[in-house]
Amino acid sequence: MGKVFVLDHPLIQHKLTYIRDKNTGTKEFRELVDEVSMLMAFEITRDLPLQEKTIETPVMETKASVLAGKKIGLVPILRAGLGMVDGMLDLIPAAKVGHVGLYRDPKTLKPVEYYIKLPSDIHERELIVIDPMLATGGSANDAIHSLKNRGAKHVRLMCLIAAPEGVEVIKQEHPDVDIYLGALDEKLDEKGYIIPGLGDAGDRLFGTK
Ligand code: URA
């Protein structure tokens, strides 16, 4: 079963509080999401493998650690996932970025990909699917299925806030996927909003509505 990590670092929790606050305007909201994404990238990369390299300090030759070069791919789910990409790239600048846009056909209830563009070597990348809000889990579930159908082998999911309902869907459908959260909230309301949540992440990021 996939593991669920709530990243309870004080800086993440502090910034998340202001992200949730309805009085936080678009500019500050974006900046805070950027900062939290960077901090979450720090936590989610904790287990990246290292290798030894011989270097010379001004004093002597020594062996020191460098990243072993595991390839990372970020896959934001359109559109709100876009708001978390730049902060993550600040810490993982060599990551490639794929994009997935999908919706559920209201008649067939099947996921329809209206946009998908991925690095050609996703099968050998550690993919981090990014969606700020894991509500019903529908989009993240569909996006992860899309990636796996295209050959993805290693997938993690990163969200600012999740509802238990969404976490359960991912755990059931993708037991191989670890989930990294800024917060695990109480539940969904009758309109599918996470409560207490932060409202509509896309609208707050892009100043729409
Ligand atoms: N999507 C959002 O942006 N917010 C929610 O609360 C649920 C889904």
Side-chain angles (χ1 to χ4, degrees), residues 80 133 135 188 192-195 197-202:
M133 307 301 275
L188 295 177
Y193 279 95
I194 297 176
I195 54 174
L198 54 72
D200 186 298

Side-chain angles (χ1 to χ4, degrees), residues 52-65:
E52 275 196 343
K53 175 185 162 81
T54 304
I55 56 160
E56 275 184 50
T57 75
V59 182
M60 63 175 285
E61 187 179 287
T62 187
K63 289 199 169 91
S65 300

Side-chain angles (χ1 to χ4, degrees), residues 140-153:
N141 178 27
D142 294 342
I144 295 169
H145 276 303
S146 286
L147 296 178
K148 288 182 174 173
N149 290 339
R150 287 172 169 78
K153 303 257 184 309

